[in-house]
């Protein structure tokens, strides 16, 4: 049967047939369509950072997420701002506490919100001034600081911080001297640093703190002072009147030493510039490690304490103390005889003027040694020496005397007769004798000179200085050829020291030098007066020269060792 379809139905049939065919074709052969990439977002933590500067606050975000698309900042004071960056700045009108909200949106549309309370103050850290250090010594320094601005806040502490290693010293980690409390603006405070290390560089600065933090002044540097260090290297060329001392600067100090030298004293065991009885010699300082030799002028046979010194602008330094003894006088020069009187009258000078002991008895000497001196009884004891002086222009003798009877006199300790006179004129004798003082019942008069001519040096000696004790007596005559012998040519020494006394001269009598004896020298007996000495004698020395002060002192020091 043949069916005739309307044209509309025929068109639909054709369309369906083609559509089916198209589906079949697509299913068999495939077809490429456009593709779309969707974003992927990591959930990375975000940190909110806030830094205040008075009323202005810097806000920032810290995140490793690079997909942040938008940040909305709500400051808590009714204002907000939107940024595509991770930081912003906001100035508040008034100080106070504000709740800040930050909304973070990434490119995936994820939203994160951060909230933080912040305190906004109109305060910053103080501004501080540090002045240059002053009064720097080996262990101390003075530092002044001031606060030029308190940062609109109350100062709670201020002071100085310092270090030898940190060039920007901090309160939290380095040494400080501080004061708790407030310091007004532009008011200076002075601090003393103590117990510092000598010759060390220090970094120092002032600081002050308020509620906003700690402000620092500029860093100043200073180097502590250091005393110079000096030592004795050696002493050489020790003679009678001199010695050479060599010193060395081990450290010139800070500031450097300008002078060095030697200070010395015969009596002060630790001589310094402020002590008594000192002498010193100073010279310009050399560099460290270089020897400096200094020649000292000294007295013979004298011990000296000495030390080196070095001077810089702040101090005088001293070395350890040393001791030296100069060489003594040669006491054998001009010595004719020496009698130790050690249980005999032997002459130990080598000239063989051996003495003869007439009745005297051995006794203990001044040191308590038995049989080392002689005792004379005042009746008929004496010591005769086989020595007859000839053509004397000068003469000295030294003897240790112990007078035992205050009522004796005049008696001679030593005497020899000179040129004889007529029977009505006393013989000329050079004598050391003593007599009772007619004006003082408690004193002797000690005399030396030409007794017959009454040309004498005479001194008053209290019993307390001569009686029943050992005394060192030296008598010296210094004459000139063909001139008269005068009292001022006579000297007397007791225990090493010259005793001035008075001069006595009978103008009608006199004698001229040189002087020659008509008898030998006798100790303990006067040949004209026929008087004997009562007491003890020891260590007799005779010189055909005038001993000087140094020689007399050396004799005294040499022989007094046990006293």
């Amino acid at each position: 049967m043949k069916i005739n379809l309307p044209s509309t139905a025929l068109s639909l049939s054709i369309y369906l047939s083609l559509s089916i065919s198209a589906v079949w074709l697509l299913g068999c052969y495939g077809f490429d369509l456009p593709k779309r990439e969707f974003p992927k977002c990591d959930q990375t933590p975000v940190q909110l950072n806030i830094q205040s500067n008075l009323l202005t606050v810097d806000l920032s975000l810290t995140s490793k997420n690079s997909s942040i698309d938008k940040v909305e900042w709500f400051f808590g004071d009714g204002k907000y701002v939107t940024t595509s960056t991770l930081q912003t700045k906001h100035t508040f009108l008034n100080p106070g506490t504000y709740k800040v909200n930050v909304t973070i949106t990434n490119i995936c549309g994820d939203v994160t919100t951060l909230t933080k309370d912040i305190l906004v103050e109109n305060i910053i850290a103080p501004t501080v001034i540090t002045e240059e250090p002053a009064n720097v010594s080996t262990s101390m320094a003075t530092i002044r600081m001031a606060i030029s601005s308190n940062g609109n806040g109350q100062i709670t502490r201020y002071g100085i911080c310092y270090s030898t290693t940190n060039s920007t010293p901090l309160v939290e980690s380095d040494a400080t001297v501080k004061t708790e409390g407030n310091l007004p603006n532009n008011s200076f405070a002075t601090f003393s640093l103590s117990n510092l290390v000598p010759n060390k560089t220090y970094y120092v600065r002032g600081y002050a703190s308020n509620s906003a933090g700690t402000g620092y002044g500029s860093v100043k540097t200073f180097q502590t002072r250091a005393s110079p260090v000096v030592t004795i290297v050696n002493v050489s060329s020790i003679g009678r009147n001199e010695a050479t001392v060599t010193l060395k600067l081990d450290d010139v100090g800070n500031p450097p030493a300008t002078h060095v030298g030697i200070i010395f004293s015969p009596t002060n065991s630790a001589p310094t510039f402020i002590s008594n009885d000192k002498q010193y010699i100073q010279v310009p300082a050399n560099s460290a490690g270089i020897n400096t030799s200094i020649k000292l002028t000294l007295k013979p046979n004298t011990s000296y304490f000495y030390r080196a010194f070095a001077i810089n602008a702040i101090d005088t330094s001293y070395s350890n103390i040393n001791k030296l003894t100069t060489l003594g006088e040669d006491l054998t020069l001009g010595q004719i005889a020496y009698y130790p009187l050690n249980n005999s009258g032997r002459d130990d000078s080598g000239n063989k003027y051996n003495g003869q002991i007439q009745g005297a008895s051995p006794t203990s000497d001044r040191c308590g040694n038995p049989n080392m001196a002689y005792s004379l009884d005042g009746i008929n004891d004496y010591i005769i020496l086989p020595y007859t002086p000839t053509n004397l222009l000068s003469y000295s003798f030294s003897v240790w005397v112990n007078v035992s009877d205050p009522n004796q006199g005049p008696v001679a300790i030593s005497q020899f007769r000179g040129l004889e006179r007529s029977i009505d004129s006393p013989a000329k004798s050079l004598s050391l004798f003593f007599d009772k003082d007619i004006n003082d019942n408690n004193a002797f008069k000690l005399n030396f000179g030409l007794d017959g001519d009454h040309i004498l040096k005479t001194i008053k000696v209290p019993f307390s200085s001569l009686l029943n004790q050992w005394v060192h007596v030296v008598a010296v005559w210094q004459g000139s050829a063909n001139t008269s012998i005068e009292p001022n040519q006579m000297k007397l020494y007791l225990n090493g020291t010259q005793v001035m006394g008075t001069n006595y001269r009978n103008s009608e009598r006199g004698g001229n030098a040189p002087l020659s004896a008509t008898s030998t020298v006798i100790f303990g007996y006067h040949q004209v007066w026929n008087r004997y000495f009562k007491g003890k004698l020891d260590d007799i020395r005779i010189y055909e020269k005038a001993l000087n002060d140094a020689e007399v002192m050396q004799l005294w020091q040499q022989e007094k060792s046990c006293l």
Side-chain angles (χ1 to χ4, degrees), residues 56 93 97 100 206 253 279 298 300 346 354-355 412 451 491 496 529 556:
T56 299
L93 295 179
T97 301
V100 176
Q279 302 175 62
L298 309 170
R346 187 183 70 248
N354 295 322
D451 53 37
K491 293 181 180 180
W529 301 336
W556 153 247

Side-chain angles (χ1 to χ4, degrees), residues 379-407:
I379 300 173
N380 57 6
D381 293 351
Y382 61 93
I383 301 171
I384 186 169
L385 311 179
Y387 160 64
T388 303
T390 303
N391 293 322
L392 290 181
L393 290 176
S394 56
Y395 179 77
S396 303
F397 54 87
S398 166
V399 61
W400 284 85
V401 179
N402 189 322
V403 179
S404 58
D405 184 0
N407 296 312

Side-chain angles (χ1 to χ4, degrees), residues 80 163 174 250 304 324 337-338 343 394 409 417 527 532 543 561:
Y80 73 95
S163 174
D174 295 306
D250 297 311
Y304 288 88
L324 65 84
Y338 169 45
N343 206 26
S394 56
R417 299 177 70 171
Q527 302 169 72
Y532 293 88
Y543 293 86
S561 57

